[in-house]
Amino acid sequence: MSTLVRASFVIGFDGDDHVIHRDACVVYDRDRIVHVGRSYDGPVDEVIDAGEAIVGPGFIDLDALADIDHAILDTWHADSSGLGWSQDYAVNRRRAVFPLEDTLFMREYALTQLIRNGITTAMPIAAETHSAWAESYEELAGVVEIAGRLGLRMYLGPSYRSGVPVLRADGSRDVHWEPELGEKGLADAIRFVRDVDGAHDGRIRGALLPCRIETVTLDLLRATARAAEGLDCLVRLHCMQGMTELRLLREWYGRHPLDVLAEVGLLGPRLLIPHALYLGDPETPFEGSPDRLAALAGIVHCPLTFVRYGDALRDFDRYREAGVNMALGTDSFPPDMIRNMDYGNNLAKLVTGRLEAGSAADYYRAATLGGARALGRDDLGRLAPGAKADLVVVDLSGPRTGPVDDPIRTLLMNCTGADVSTVVIDGRPVMRDRMIAGVDEESMRLRAQTYFETMKAAYSERDHMRRDQALLFPASFRVVEAGS
């Protein structure tokens, strides 16, 4: 079945870069783009007139929120000591907060949010805080089913780790190690990749997704590198993202994270790194050259999440000029790629003092072409004949959008993910007129609130001081209960 989508702006691809077609159309037949441009004379089965809108390639989110986010609870804490696991909890009392059924609901809720924000290809990230250790094979098998039903294109694998960050009774930070759980996690991840790679007409691909570098032993990192080569798949590993990580790796190995990655055989074109902010040592974390990062599949830059924690990449253009492939991730709620591009664009100006820094065009490239390059896909992140029919429609007609100038700058400055009206993945409309077929929005919203309240209550159980919610999460203002 062929479909023509017409709009005031179509972001095409000329073989080298994005181009803006004014008053144009894109035509797709089944799962492939067949035409992008001003006019099309051939027959089509359906015409969608999007009106005053941008039709562009689907966004690629390589650190995609896949749970109900904790950032609303921890991004404002001056003292975050109660938000992780205590050593006592890790050793004696840890448990899965939610049964599998509830965890899979949470996953479905999160995946619908990705679609609502125009994300068509995602590599998920979820907190292990509420698990008994890390993600399970069964949990990710459930995600495969959900993604297949919703129509998302995803790169999936269960997370695994050898240790978990803990807070000791004296308030010091450490890592509690159980290496055998990491080895079992990798074995399950390898089995998962072999079992699911290529599922749902190729929209599901396997990947190895170990947790943060400071929670994975050197032996497990080496085994991950060997497994990725044997499976011919990508690896994503969070590192260079925090001062505690830099300090611990310096204490344990006397090395910077990049040197550790080189030693274990991961520093190469299979590796994706969120967030790679800290190129130097703990004393001068932002000093150093990003040149070595050019050997990687890419950096997954998540500007909205990091500014919430009071940090920023220094700086986006310096990484690009060093040949680093820059991709984007949302990493927290809302998984709004448009807001992430806007925050990145503004933060680049702030950290450099240059108005031209971190241009809207470069951030749009990162959200599309950069993500595709990181995945080794020349059929994603662009609207061009032969590319996959993954596209989003962003409505510009609403009164809050204001006057439209350059569509990409207008997208970043005047729009949000709430303006995404239609999403097509693999030629299948997965959201039309902001509605996802088969999703009961109200019941999902109510269940998500109940899930969140249970999640929030569990922090007290893990806290090293066993503080209640009122102490851990005080309200912004005094709360007056109904009837008071």
Side-chain angles (χ1 to χ4, degrees), residues 81 83-87 89-90 128-129 133 161-168 172-177 211-216 244 248 252 462:
S81 63
L83 303 181
W85 289 15
S86 68
Q87 185 181 33
Y89 180 83
E128 294 86 5
T129 312
W133 186 257
R161 57 184 176 183
S162 316
V164 60
V166 294
L167 200 72
R168 295 186 179 277
S172 63
R173 298 181 185 274
D174 201 355
V175 175
H176 168 72
W177 296 102
C211 298
R212 304 163 63 119
I213 190 171
E214 72 272 28
T215 65
V216 186
T244 299
L248 289 175
W252 296 339
R462 295 187 294 265

PDB file of all heavy atoms in Angstrom, residues 81 83-87 89-90 128-129 133 161-168 172-177 211-216 244 248 252 462:
ATOM      1  N   SER A  81      22.134  10.795  49.110  1.00  0.00           N
ATOM      2  CA  SER A  81      22.611   9.577  49.768  1.00  0.00           C
ATOM      3  C   SER A  81      21.500   8.563  50.033  1.00  0.00           C
ATOM      4  O   SER A  81      21.782   7.378  50.190  1.00  0.00           O
ATOM      5  CB  SER A  81      23.299   9.933  51.090  1.00  0.00           C
ATOM      6  OG  SER A  81      22.371  10.538  51.981  1.00  0.00           O
ATOM      7  N   LEU A  83      19.055   7.717  47.957  1.00  0.00           N
ATOM      8  CA  LEU A  83      18.340   7.351  46.739  1.00  0.00           C
ATOM      9  C   LEU A  83      18.877   6.092  46.071  1.00  0.00           C
ATOM     10  O   LEU A  83      18.289   5.604  45.117  1.00  0.00           O
ATOM     11  CB  LEU A  83      18.366   8.525  45.754  1.00  0.00           C
ATOM     12  CG  LEU A  83      17.784   9.822  46.329  1.00  0.00           C
ATOM     13  CD1 LEU A  83      17.828  10.929  45.299  1.00  0.00           C
ATOM     14  CD2 LEU A  83      16.373   9.623  46.834  1.00  0.00           C
ATOM     15  N   GLY A  84      19.986   5.575  46.546  1.00  0.00           N
ATOM     16  CA  GLY A  84      20.509   4.325  46.022  1.00  0.00           C
ATOM     17  C   GLY A  84      20.298   3.192  47.015  1.00  0.00           C
ATOM     18  O   GLY A  84      19.439   3.259  47.894  1.00  0.00           O
ATOM     19  N   TRP A  85      21.096   2.141  46.876  1.00  0.00           N
ATOM     20  CA  TRP A  85      21.015   0.999  47.788  1.00  0.00           C
ATOM     21  C   TRP A  85      21.980   1.201  48.954  1.00  0.00           C
ATOM     22  O   TRP A  85      23.127   1.603  48.757  1.00  0.00           O
ATOM     23  CB  TRP A  85      21.404  -0.279  47.051  1.00  0.00           C
ATOM     24  CG  TRP A  85      20.426  -0.780  46.045  1.00  0.00           C
ATOM     25  CD1 TRP A  85      19.377  -0.097  45.504  1.00  0.00           C
ATOM     26  CD2 TRP A  85      20.416  -2.068  45.444  1.00  0.00           C
ATOM     27  NE1 TRP A  85      18.716  -0.885  44.597  1.00  0.00           N
ATOM     28  CE2 TRP A  85      19.335  -2.104  44.540  1.00  0.00           C
ATOM     29  CE3 TRP A  85      21.222  -3.195  45.582  1.00  0.00           C
ATOM     30  CZ2 TRP A  85      19.032  -3.229  43.776  1.00  0.00           C
ATOM     31  CZ3 TRP A  85      20.931  -4.322  44.808  1.00  0.00           C
ATOM     32  CH2 TRP A  85      19.841  -4.341  43.925  1.00  0.00           C
ATOM     33  N   SER A  86      21.512   0.867  50.138  1.00  0.00           N
ATOM     34  CA  SER A  86      22.445   0.748  51.246  1.00  0.00           C
ATOM     35  C   SER A  86      23.165  -0.597  51.119  1.00  0.00           C
ATOM     36  O   SER A  86      22.671  -1.527  50.471  1.00  0.00           O
ATOM     37  CB  SER A  86      21.710   0.811  52.586  1.00  0.00           C
ATOM     38  OG  SER A  86      20.894  -0.345  52.759  1.00  0.00           O
ATOM     39  N   GLN A  87      24.321  -0.701  51.738  1.00  0.00           N
ATOM     40  CA  GLN A  87      25.044  -1.965  51.708  1.00  0.00           C
ATOM     41  C   GLN A  87      24.231  -3.066  52.379  1.00  0.00           C
ATOM     42  O   GLN A  87      24.194  -4.217  51.910  1.00  0.00           O
ATOM     43  CB  GLN A  87      26.393  -1.820  52.380  1.00  0.00           C
ATOM     44  CG  GLN A  87      27.254  -3.086  52.270  1.00  0.00           C
ATOM     45  CD  GLN A  87      28.587  -2.937  52.951  1.00  0.00           C
ATOM     46  OE1 GLN A  87      28.690  -2.246  53.969  1.00  0.00           O
ATOM     47  NE2 GLN A  87      29.616  -3.569  52.407  1.00  0.00           N
ATOM     48  N   TYR A  89      20.991  -3.328  52.486  1.00  0.00           N
ATOM     49  CA  TYR A  89      19.931  -3.756  51.562  1.00  0.00           C
ATOM     50  C   TYR A  89      20.505  -4.665  50.473  1.00  0.00           C
ATOM     51  O   TYR A  89      19.931  -5.715  50.147  1.00  0.00           O
ATOM     52  CB  TYR A  89      19.266  -2.535  50.924  1.00  0.00           C
ATOM     53  CG  TYR A  89      18.164  -2.883  49.949  1.00  0.00           C
ATOM     54  CD1 TYR A  89      16.877  -3.150  50.397  1.00  0.00           C
ATOM     55  CD2 TYR A  89      18.420  -2.943  48.581  1.00  0.00           C
ATOM     56  CE1 TYR A  89      15.863  -3.487  49.502  1.00  0.00           C
ATOM     57  CE2 TYR A  89      17.420  -3.270  47.681  1.00  0.00           C
ATOM     58  CZ  TYR A  89      16.139  -3.542  48.147  1.00  0.00           C
ATOM     59  OH  TYR A  89      15.147  -3.879  47.258  1.00  0.00           O
ATOM     60  N   ALA A  90      21.661  -4.304  49.922  1.00  0.00           N
ATOM     61  CA  ALA A  90      22.271  -5.098  48.851  1.00  0.00           C
ATOM     62  C   ALA A  90      22.620  -6.506  49.326  1.00  0.00           C
ATOM     63  O   ALA A  90      22.437  -7.485  48.605  1.00  0.00           O
ATOM     64  CB  ALA A  90      23.522  -4.392  48.324  1.00  0.00           C
ATOM     65  N   GLU A 128      17.979   0.008  37.257  1.00  0.00           N
ATOM     66  CA  GLU A 128      17.953  -1.282  37.940  1.00  0.00           C
ATOM     67  C   GLU A 128      17.635  -1.127  39.422  1.00  0.00           C
ATOM     68  O   GLU A 128      17.577  -2.118  40.158  1.00  0.00           O
ATOM     69  CB  GLU A 128      19.298  -2.000  37.789  1.00  0.00           C
ATOM     70  CG  GLU A 128      19.650  -2.423  36.374  1.00  0.00           C
ATOM     71  CD  GLU A 128      20.323  -1.338  35.572  1.00  0.00           C
ATOM     72  OE1 GLU A 128      20.607  -0.261  36.134  1.00  0.00           O
ATOM     73  OE2 GLU A 128      20.556  -1.547  34.361  1.00  0.00           O
ATOM     74  N   THR A 129      17.425   0.105  39.861  1.00  0.00           N
ATOM     75  CA  THR A 129      17.208   0.386  41.279  1.00  0.00           C
ATOM     76  C   THR A 129      16.120  -0.473  41.890  1.00  0.00           C
ATOM     77  O   THR A 129      16.221  -0.917  43.038  1.00  0.00           O
ATOM     78  CB  THR A 129      16.826   1.873  41.461  1.00  0.00           C
ATOM     79  OG1 THR A 129      17.744   2.684  40.731  1.00  0.00           O
ATOM     80  CG2 THR A 129      16.850   2.261  42.933  1.00  0.00           C
ATOM     81  N   TRP A 133      18.461  -7.292  40.968  1.00  0.00           N
ATOM     82  CA  TRP A 133      19.862  -7.048  40.605  1.00  0.00           C
ATOM     83  C   TRP A 133      19.947  -6.236  39.320  1.00  0.00           C
ATOM     84  O   TRP A 133      20.344  -5.091  39.315  1.00  0.00           O
ATOM     85  CB  TRP A 133      20.626  -8.370  40.468  1.00  0.00           C
ATOM     86  CG  TRP A 133      22.101  -8.168  40.248  1.00  0.00           C
ATOM     87  CD1 TRP A 133      22.796  -8.284  39.081  1.00  0.00           C
ATOM     88  CD2 TRP A 133      23.073  -7.798  41.241  1.00  0.00           C
ATOM     89  NE1 TRP A 133      24.126  -8.007  39.271  1.00  0.00           N
ATOM     90  CE2 TRP A 133      24.334  -7.721  40.603  1.00  0.00           C
ATOM     91  CE3 TRP A 133      23.015  -7.548  42.607  1.00  0.00           C
ATOM     92  CZ2 TRP A 133      25.508  -7.391  41.276  1.00  0.00           C
ATOM     93  CZ3 TRP A 133      24.186  -7.217  43.284  1.00  0.00           C
ATOM     94  CH2 TRP A 133      25.413  -7.139  42.627  1.00  0.00           C
ATOM     95  N   ARG A 161      25.362  -6.631  35.264  1.00  0.00           N
ATOM     96  CA  ARG A 161      26.426  -5.985  36.022  1.00  0.00           C
ATOM     97  C   ARG A 161      27.018  -6.953  37.035  1.00  0.00           C
ATOM     98  O   ARG A 161      26.356  -7.892  37.474  1.00  0.00           O
ATOM     99  CB  ARG A 161      25.905  -4.743  36.739  1.00  0.00           C
ATOM    100  CG  ARG A 161      24.737  -4.969  37.696  1.00  0.00           C
ATOM    101  CD  ARG A 161      24.256  -3.649  38.273  1.00  0.00           C
ATOM    102  NE  ARG A 161      23.082  -3.774  39.119  1.00  0.00           N
ATOM    103  CZ  ARG A 161      22.454  -2.760  39.679  1.00  0.00           C
ATOM    104  NH1 ARG A 161      22.908  -1.537  39.491  1.00  0.00           N
ATOM    105  NH2 ARG A 161      21.393  -2.945  40.443  1.00  0.00           N
ATOM    106  N   SER A 162      28.249  -6.683  37.414  1.00  0.00           N
ATOM    107  CA  SER A 162      28.954  -7.486  38.416  1.00  0.00           C
ATOM    108  C   SER A 162      28.813  -6.924  39.812  1.00  0.00           C
ATOM    109  O   SER A 162      29.089  -7.616  40.797  1.00  0.00           O
ATOM    110  CB  SER A 162      30.456  -7.553  38.088  1.00  0.00           C
ATOM    111  OG  SER A 162      30.697  -7.777  36.734  1.00  0.00           O
ATOM    112  N   GLY A 163      28.439  -5.658  39.910  1.00  0.00           N
ATOM    113  CA  GLY A 163      28.337  -5.009  41.205  1.00  0.00           C
ATOM    114  C   GLY A 163      27.289  -3.920  41.179  1.00  0.00           C
ATOM    115  O   GLY A 163      26.775  -3.548  40.114  1.00  0.00           O
ATOM    116  N   VAL A 164      26.959  -3.403  42.342  1.00  0.00           N
ATOM    117  CA  VAL A 164      25.960  -2.344  42.464  1.00  0.00           C
ATOM    118  C   VAL A 164      26.515  -1.255  43.381  1.00  0.00           C
ATOM    119  O   VAL A 164      27.123  -1.556  44.408  1.00  0.00           O
ATOM    120  CB  VAL A 164      24.630  -2.908  43.006  1.00  0.00           C
ATOM    121  CG1 VAL A 164      24.805  -3.544  44.373  1.00  0.00           C
ATOM    122  CG2 VAL A 164      23.555  -1.831  43.048  1.00  0.00           C
ATOM    123  N   PRO A 165      26.351   0.021  42.998  1.00  0.00           N
ATOM    124  CA  PRO A 165      26.783   1.089  43.897  1.00  0.00           C
ATOM    125  C   PRO A 165      25.985   1.045  45.201  1.00  0.00           C
ATOM    126  O   PRO A 165      24.761   0.857  45.190  1.00  0.00           O
ATOM    127  CB  PRO A 165      26.467   2.372  43.115  1.00  0.00           C
ATOM    128  CG  PRO A 165      26.385   1.936  41.688  1.00  0.00           C
ATOM    129  CD  PRO A 165      25.834   0.547  41.721  1.00  0.00           C
ATOM    130  N   VAL A 166      26.677   1.194  46.321  1.00  0.00           N
ATOM    131  CA  VAL A 166      26.013   1.151  47.627  1.00  0.00           C
ATOM    132  C   VAL A 166      26.551   2.273  48.505  1.00  0.00           C
ATOM    133  O   VAL A 166      27.624   2.833  48.262  1.00  0.00           O
ATOM    134  CB  VAL A 166      26.229  -0.200  48.341  1.00  0.00           C
ATOM    135  CG1 VAL A 166      25.550  -1.328  47.590  1.00  0.00           C
ATOM    136  CG2 VAL A 166      27.716  -0.482  48.560  1.00  0.00           C
ATOM    137  N   LEU A 167      25.763   2.562  49.543  1.00  0.00           N
ATOM    138  CA  LEU A 167      26.187   3.492  50.575  1.00  0.00           C
ATOM    139  C   LEU A 167      26.405   2.689  51.849  1.00  0.00           C
ATOM    140  O   LEU A 167      25.510   1.984  52.315  1.00  0.00           O
ATOM    141  CB  LEU A 167      25.111   4.557  50.795  1.00  0.00           C
ATOM    142  CG  LEU A 167      25.584   5.835  51.474  1.00  0.00           C
ATOM    143  CD1 LEU A 167      26.441   6.650  50.506  1.00  0.00           C
ATOM    144  CD2 LEU A 167      24.397   6.670  51.939  1.00  0.00           C
ATOM    145  N   ARG A 168      27.606   2.798  52.387  1.00  0.00           N
ATOM    146  CA  ARG A 168      27.922   2.089  53.622  1.00  0.00           C
ATOM    147  C   ARG A 168      27.263   2.783  54.823  1.00  0.00           C
ATOM    148  O   ARG A 168      26.794   3.923  54.721  1.00  0.00           O
ATOM    149  CB  ARG A 168      29.433   2.031  53.815  1.00  0.00           C
ATOM    150  CG  ARG A 168      30.157   1.202  52.757  1.00  0.00           C
ATOM    151  CD  ARG A 168      31.631   1.063  53.095  1.00  0.00           C
ATOM    152  NE  ARG A 168      32.335   0.263  52.103  1.00  0.00           N
ATOM    153  CZ  ARG A 168      32.369  -1.055  52.107  1.00  0.00           C
ATOM    154  NH1 ARG A 168      31.726  -1.725  53.049  1.00  0.00           N
ATOM    155  NH2 ARG A 168      33.033  -1.718  51.179  1.00  0.00           N
ATOM    156  N   SER A 172      29.882   6.456  53.394  1.00  0.00           N
ATOM    157  CA  SER A 172      30.805   6.426  52.257  1.00  0.00           C
ATOM    158  C   SER A 172      30.228   5.591  51.123  1.00  0.00           C
ATOM    159  O   SER A 172      29.421   4.680  51.337  1.00  0.00           O
ATOM    160  CB  SER A 172      32.156   5.865  52.697  1.00  0.00           C
ATOM    161  OG  SER A 172      32.020   4.514  53.134  1.00  0.00           O
ATOM    162  N   ARG A 173      30.650   5.896  49.905  1.00  0.00           N
ATOM    163  CA  ARG A 173      30.153   5.211  48.713  1.00  0.00           C
ATOM    164  C   ARG A 173      31.117   4.109  48.305  1.00  0.00           C
ATOM    165  O   ARG A 173      32.332   4.265  48.368  1.00  0.00           O
ATOM    166  CB  ARG A 173      29.957   6.193  47.563  1.00  0.00           C
ATOM    167  CG  ARG A 173      28.912   7.264  47.869  1.00  0.00           C
ATOM    168  CD  ARG A 173      28.725   8.216  46.695  1.00  0.00           C
ATOM    169  NE  ARG A 173      27.829   9.303  47.031  1.00  0.00           N
ATOM    170  CZ  ARG A 173      26.504   9.253  46.925  1.00  0.00           C
ATOM    171  NH1 ARG A 173      25.931   8.142  46.475  1.00  0.00           N
ATOM    172  NH2 ARG A 173      25.760  10.292  47.256  1.00  0.00           N
ATOM    173  N   ASP A 174      30.557   2.995  47.851  1.00  0.00           N
ATOM    174  CA  ASP A 174      31.380   1.866  47.430  1.00  0.00           C
ATOM    175  C   ASP A 174      30.587   1.067  46.411  1.00  0.00           C
ATOM    176  O   ASP A 174      29.482   1.454  46.008  1.00  0.00           O
ATOM    177  CB  ASP A 174      31.740   1.005  48.638  1.00  0.00           C
ATOM    178  CG  ASP A 174      32.973   0.150  48.397  1.00  0.00           C
ATOM    179  OD1 ASP A 174      33.485   0.150  47.260  1.00  0.00           O
ATOM    180  OD2 ASP A 174      33.409  -0.534  49.339  1.00  0.00           O
ATOM    181  N   VAL A 175      31.139  -0.053  45.979  1.00  0.00           N
ATOM    182  CA  VAL A 175      30.441  -0.982  45.091  1.00  0.00           C
ATOM    183  C   VAL A 175      30.410  -2.347  45.764  1.00  0.00           C
ATOM    184  O   VAL A 175      31.446  -2.846  46.234  1.00  0.00           O
ATOM    185  CB  VAL A 175      31.125  -1.080  43.711  1.00  0.00           C
ATOM    186  CG1 VAL A 175      30.442  -2.140  42.849  1.00  0.00           C
ATOM    187  CG2 VAL A 175      31.102   0.277  43.005  1.00  0.00           C
ATOM    188  N   HIS A 176      29.238  -2.924  45.844  1.00  0.00           N
ATOM    189  CA  HIS A 176      29.081  -4.287  46.361  1.00  0.00           C
ATOM    190  C   HIS A 176      29.167  -5.242  45.175  1.00  0.00           C
ATOM    191  O   HIS A 176      28.397  -5.140  44.219  1.00  0.00           O
ATOM    192  CB  HIS A 176      27.738  -4.441  47.065  1.00  0.00           C
ATOM    193  CG  HIS A 176      27.390  -5.865  47.359  1.00  0.00           C
ATOM    194  ND1 HIS A 176      28.040  -6.603  48.331  1.00  0.00           N
ATOM    195  CD2 HIS A 176      26.476  -6.715  46.774  1.00  0.00           C
ATOM    196  CE1 HIS A 176      27.543  -7.822  48.347  1.00  0.00           C
ATOM    197  NE2 HIS A 176      26.594  -7.922  47.426  1.00  0.00           N
ATOM    198  N   TRP A 177      30.111  -6.202  45.230  1.00  0.00           N
ATOM    199  CA  TRP A 177      30.386  -7.075  44.088  1.00  0.00           C
ATOM    200  C   TRP A 177      29.795  -8.466  44.276  1.00  0.00           C
ATOM    201  O   TRP A 177      29.904  -9.050  45.345  1.00  0.00           O
ATOM    202  CB  TRP A 177      31.897  -7.212  43.886  1.00  0.00           C
ATOM    203  CG  TRP A 177      32.587  -5.940  43.531  1.00  0.00           C
ATOM    204  CD1 TRP A 177      33.315  -5.149  44.368  1.00  0.00           C
ATOM    205  CD2 TRP A 177      32.604  -5.301  42.255  1.00  0.00           C
ATOM    206  NE1 TRP A 177      33.798  -4.061  43.689  1.00  0.00           N
ATOM    207  CE2 TRP A 177      33.379  -4.122  42.392  1.00  0.00           C
ATOM    208  CE3 TRP A 177      32.049  -5.610  41.013  1.00  0.00           C
ATOM    209  CZ2 TRP A 177      33.604  -3.251  41.322  1.00  0.00           C
ATOM    210  CZ3 TRP A 177      32.270  -4.735  39.942  1.00  0.00           C
ATOM    211  CH2 TRP A 177      33.037  -3.581  40.100  1.00  0.00           C
ATOM    212  N   CYS A 211      25.781  -2.455  32.352  1.00  0.00           N
ATOM    213  CA  CYS A 211      25.506  -1.231  33.115  1.00  0.00           C
ATOM    214  C   CYS A 211      26.734  -0.324  33.136  1.00  0.00           C
ATOM    215  O   CYS A 211      27.624  -0.450  32.300  1.00  0.00           O
ATOM    216  CB  CYS A 211      25.065  -1.603  34.522  1.00  0.00           C
ATOM    217  SG  CYS A 211      23.545  -2.578  34.570  1.00  0.00           S
ATOM    218  N   ARG A 212      26.790   0.560  34.066  1.00  0.00           N
ATOM    219  CA  ARG A 212      27.861   1.543  34.171  1.00  0.00           C
ATOM    220  C   ARG A 212      29.220   0.869  34.325  1.00  0.00           C
ATOM    221  O   ARG A 212      29.336  -0.176  34.967  1.00  0.00           O
ATOM    222  CB  ARG A 212      27.597   2.454  35.352  1.00  0.00           C
ATOM    223  CG  ARG A 212      26.265   3.158  35.316  1.00  0.00           C
ATOM    224  CD  ARG A 212      25.874   3.713  36.663  1.00  0.00           C
ATOM    225  NE  ARG A 212      26.806   4.720  37.124  1.00  0.00           N
ATOM    226  CZ  ARG A 212      26.476   5.986  37.379  1.00  0.00           C
ATOM    227  NH1 ARG A 212      25.232   6.387  37.203  1.00  0.00           N
ATOM    228  NH2 ARG A 212      27.367   6.833  37.815  1.00  0.00           N
ATOM    229  N   ILE A 213      30.250   1.481  33.786  1.00  0.00           N
ATOM    230  CA  ILE A 213      31.571   0.867  33.750  1.00  0.00           C
ATOM    231  C   ILE A 213      32.082   0.526  35.149  1.00  0.00           C
ATOM    232  O   ILE A 213      32.775  -0.486  35.328  1.00  0.00           O
ATOM    233  CB  ILE A 213      32.576   1.777  33.004  1.00  0.00           C
ATOM    234  CG1 ILE A 213      33.893   1.030  32.756  1.00  0.00           C
ATOM    235  CG2 ILE A 213      32.778   3.091  33.727  1.00  0.00           C
ATOM    236  CD1 ILE A 213      34.858   1.781  31.844  1.00  0.00           C
ATOM    237  N   GLU A 214      31.729   1.323  36.164  1.00  0.00           N
ATOM    238  CA  GLU A 214      32.237   1.052  37.512  1.00  0.00           C
ATOM    239  C   GLU A 214      31.502  -0.089  38.193  1.00  0.00           C
ATOM    240  O   GLU A 214      31.850  -0.460  39.320  1.00  0.00           O
ATOM    241  CB  GLU A 214      32.186   2.326  38.380  1.00  0.00           C
ATOM    242  CG  GLU A 214      30.809   2.765  38.817  1.00  0.00           C
ATOM    243  CD  GLU A 214      30.121   3.688  37.826  1.00  0.00           C
ATOM    244  OE1 GLU A 214      30.429   3.591  36.614  1.00  0.00           O
ATOM    245  OE2 GLU A 214      29.285   4.497  38.262  1.00  0.00           O
ATOM    246  N   THR A 215      30.494  -0.675  37.520  1.00  0.00           N
ATOM    247  CA  THR A 215      29.782  -1.818  38.102  1.00  0.00           C
ATOM    248  C   THR A 215      30.042  -3.110  37.322  1.00  0.00           C
ATOM    249  O   THR A 215      29.355  -4.109  37.550  1.00  0.00           O
ATOM    250  CB  THR A 215      28.266  -1.550  38.159  1.00  0.00           C
ATOM    251  OG1 THR A 215      27.747  -1.441  36.833  1.00  0.00           O
ATOM    252  CG2 THR A 215      27.967  -0.291  38.942  1.00  0.00           C
ATOM    253  N   VAL A 216      31.020  -3.084  36.414  1.00  0.00           N
ATOM    254  CA  VAL A 216      31.322  -4.254  35.591  1.00  0.00           C
ATOM    255  C   VAL A 216      32.807  -4.574  35.736  1.00  0.00           C
ATOM    256  O   VAL A 216      33.654  -3.694  35.544  1.00  0.00           O
ATOM    257  CB  VAL A 216      30.966  -4.000  34.109  1.00  0.00           C
ATOM    258  CG1 VAL A 216      31.146  -5.270  33.289  1.00  0.00           C
ATOM    259  CG2 VAL A 216      29.536  -3.486  33.972  1.00  0.00           C
ATOM    260  N   THR A 244      32.311  10.115  40.812  1.00  0.00           N
ATOM    261  CA  THR A 244      32.537   8.893  41.579  1.00  0.00           C
ATOM    262  C   THR A 244      33.150   7.823  40.703  1.00  0.00           C
ATOM    263  O   THR A 244      34.077   7.103  41.109  1.00  0.00           O
ATOM    264  CB  THR A 244      31.227   8.397  42.209  1.00  0.00           C
ATOM    265  OG1 THR A 244      30.722   9.390  43.099  1.00  0.00           O
ATOM    266  CG2 THR A 244      31.445   7.098  42.968  1.00  0.00           C
ATOM    267  N   LEU A 248      36.744   6.038  41.399  1.00  0.00           N
ATOM    268  CA  LEU A 248      36.850   4.613  41.650  1.00  0.00           C
ATOM    269  C   LEU A 248      37.782   3.936  40.651  1.00  0.00           C
ATOM    270  O   LEU A 248      38.622   3.100  41.035  1.00  0.00           O
ATOM    271  CB  LEU A 248      35.469   3.969  41.606  1.00  0.00           C
ATOM    272  CG  LEU A 248      34.533   4.304  42.766  1.00  0.00           C
ATOM    273  CD1 LEU A 248      33.156   3.701  42.528  1.00  0.00           C
ATOM    274  CD2 LEU A 248      35.099   3.810  44.095  1.00  0.00           C
ATOM    275  N   TRP A 252      41.056   1.863  41.639  1.00  0.00           N
ATOM    276  CA  TRP A 252      41.161   0.434  41.364  1.00  0.00           C
ATOM    277  C   TRP A 252      42.244   0.101  40.351  1.00  0.00           C
ATOM    278  O   TRP A 252      43.001  -0.854  40.533  1.00  0.00           O
ATOM    279  CB  TRP A 252      39.831  -0.089  40.826  1.00  0.00           C
ATOM    280  CG  TRP A 252      38.683  -0.003  41.776  1.00  0.00           C
ATOM    281  CD1 TRP A 252      38.717   0.101  43.133  1.00  0.00           C
ATOM    282  CD2 TRP A 252      37.298   0.010  41.407  1.00  0.00           C
ATOM    283  NE1 TRP A 252      37.445   0.165  43.649  1.00  0.00           N
ATOM    284  CE2 TRP A 252      36.546   0.108  42.617  1.00  0.00           C
ATOM    285  CE3 TRP A 252      36.603  -0.062  40.207  1.00  0.00           C
ATOM    286  CZ2 TRP A 252      35.151   0.143  42.621  1.00  0.00           C
ATOM    287  CZ3 TRP A 252      35.221  -0.028  40.219  1.00  0.00           C
ATOM    288  CH2 TRP A 252      34.498   0.076  41.415  1.00  0.00           C
ATOM    289  N   ARG A 462      15.273   0.987  51.035  1.00  0.00           N
ATOM    290  CA  ARG A 462      16.675   0.871  50.621  1.00  0.00           C
ATOM    291  C   ARG A 462      17.591   1.880  51.305  1.00  0.00           C
ATOM    292  O   ARG A 462      18.808   1.708  51.326  1.00  0.00           O
ATOM    293  CB  ARG A 462      16.769   1.044  49.102  1.00  0.00           C
ATOM    294  CG  ARG A 462      16.090  -0.040  48.312  1.00  0.00           C
ATOM    295  CD  ARG A 462      16.371   0.107  46.829  1.00  0.00           C
ATOM    296  NE  ARG A 462      15.785   1.318  46.259  1.00  0.00           N
ATOM    297  CZ  ARG A 462      14.604   1.373  45.659  1.00  0.00           C
ATOM    298  NH1 ARG A 462      13.870   0.284  45.540  1.00  0.00           N
ATOM    299  NH2 ARG A 462      14.153   2.507  45.159  1.00  0.00           N
TER     300      ARG A 462
END
